[in-house]
Amino acid sequence: QQQQQQQQQQPYHPNAEAYTSTMDAFAKRGDMTRALDLLKKMKERGVEPNEFTYTCLIGALAKHKKVDQAKKMLKYMKSMGLRPRVVTYNAFMSGLAHREKFTDDQSYNRHVDEAILILKEMISEGIRPNPSGVSVLIGAFGKCDHPRVTEALALVTKLEGEGIISKNNIRISTALVQVLGAAGDFNGAMSRFRSIRKPDVAAVNAWLDACVRCDKDQAARKS
């Protein structure tokens, strides 16, 4: 009974999952100060951050233009003996690809360049990129004021040739349709769309968007 009373008197400290969920909530509100403070509190209270904790912070830091801090967080994560997973690198690339907070194209292009380096680092460490992460990076090429079509196509060709991704993956092909549409390359977008055997809703929407961007309303109506 005395032991039970002592346990009841001890303050309750959430586990790593609870802390991570709270960090994610702060990060989505743009409050990175409180998100990072929670990491300090975890350590002070003897709660070990896990790979998902670091993944949450790395993605959020990248999204809020704190790229150097995100890199340091990734390096620190590794130093703690935690091996980044595919989801960690995807979160980093997704944060870098986020366009909303950029007012000038030059700065955004630098973030896209950083995302390319993250992909290369991922591959060099023997972690195989998945279609989700690659499609995010491909999509980023299309968000530049001057869409980087040549690089997008070259990257996909290279990854396919090396067997890192499968050929004509629907998610990646959909991202390419978007990039080609953004660049005004209607024939390129149409060719890529036709390479998709069974287009899903996302692929069809990407094609319709490409038609509109290229002033091909009739092609959109036929679809």
Side-chain angles (χ1 to χ4, degrees), residues 106-212:
Q106 189 174 6
S107 295
Y108 183 70
N109 271 281
R110 285 197 294 268
H111 269 224
V112 176
D113 291 339
E114 290 285 356
I116 296 169
L117 294 176
I118 292 300
L119 179 69
K120 290 180 178 178
E121 177 182 333
M122 179 183 186
I123 295 171
S124 70
E125 295 193 359
I127 301 173
R128 190 186 187 92
N130 62 17
S132 177
V134 175
S135 63
V136 163
L137 179 52
I138 297 302
F141 286 124
K143 293 177 185 176
C144 300
D145 286 353
H146 301 285
R148 295 161 62 170
V149 180
T150 302
E151 289 175 82
L153 293 170
L155 178 60
V156 172
T157 300
K158 183 176 186 296
L159 295 177
E160 288 179 344
E162 294 175 356
I164 293 174
I165 59 174
S166 60
K167 290 187 177 181
N168 295 324
N169 177 274
I170 186 169
R171 294 195 68 169
I172 296 170
S173 292
T174 297
L176 283 174
V177 171
Q178 292 174 322
V179 175
L180 290 160
D185 184 351
F186 176 74
N187 290 331
M190 180 171 59
S191 176
R192 183 58 61 167
F193 178 70
R194 286 178 175 175
S195 73
I196 302 174
R197 292 183 180 178
K198 294 182 179 180
D200 58 10
V201 174
V204 172
N205 285 342
W207 166 239
L208 293 175
D209 180 70
C211 290
V212 173

Side-chain angles (χ1 to χ4, degrees), residues 3 9 15 17 41 47 53-54 59-60 66 90 101 113 125 135 142 155 158 160 166-167 199 202 207 216:
Q3 187 177 3
Q9 291 172 357
N15 57 24
E17 288 73 22
K41 288 183 180 179
V47 181
T53 307
Y54 290 111
K66 301 180 185 296
N90 282 359
K101 295 181 179 296
D113 291 339
E125 295 193 359
S135 63
L155 178 60
K158 183 176 186 296
E160 288 179 344
S166 60
K167 290 187 177 181
W207 166 239
K216 300 290 185 179

Side-chain angles (χ1 to χ4, degrees), residues 5-91:
Q5 289 177 345
Q6 289 176 345
Q7 289 175 345
Q8 290 174 355
Q9 291 172 357
Q10 291 176 352
Y12 168 74
H13 297 310
N15 57 24
E17 288 73 22
Y19 275 109
T20 302
S21 295
T22 308
M23 283 179 191
D24 187 50
F26 284 137
K28 285 178 178 174
R29 279 187 356 207
D31 194 344
M32 290 307 302
T33 300
R34 294 182 72 179
L36 292 168
D37 282 344
L38 271 182
L39 183 63
K40 295 178 184 177
K41 288 183 180 179
M42 287 180 74
K43 295 177 181 178
E44 290 170 358
R45 295 173 177 177
V47 181
E48 286 296 322
N50 57 31
E51 59 267 33
F52 298 108
T53 307
Y54 290 111
T55 293
C56 169
L57 291 173
I58 288 167
L61 286 166
K63 181 179 178 179
H64 291 282
K65 301 184 182 181
K66 301 180 185 296
V67 181
D68 287 339
Q69 283 182 261
K71 288 181 179 177
K72 289 177 182 177
M73 188 70 72
L74 181 61
K75 186 176 180 180
Y76 181 74
M77 176 185 178
K78 294 177 183 178
S79 74
M80 296 301 292
L82 293 172
R83 188 170 187 260
R85 301 186 181 190
V86 172
V87 67
T88 307
Y89 286 104
N90 282 359

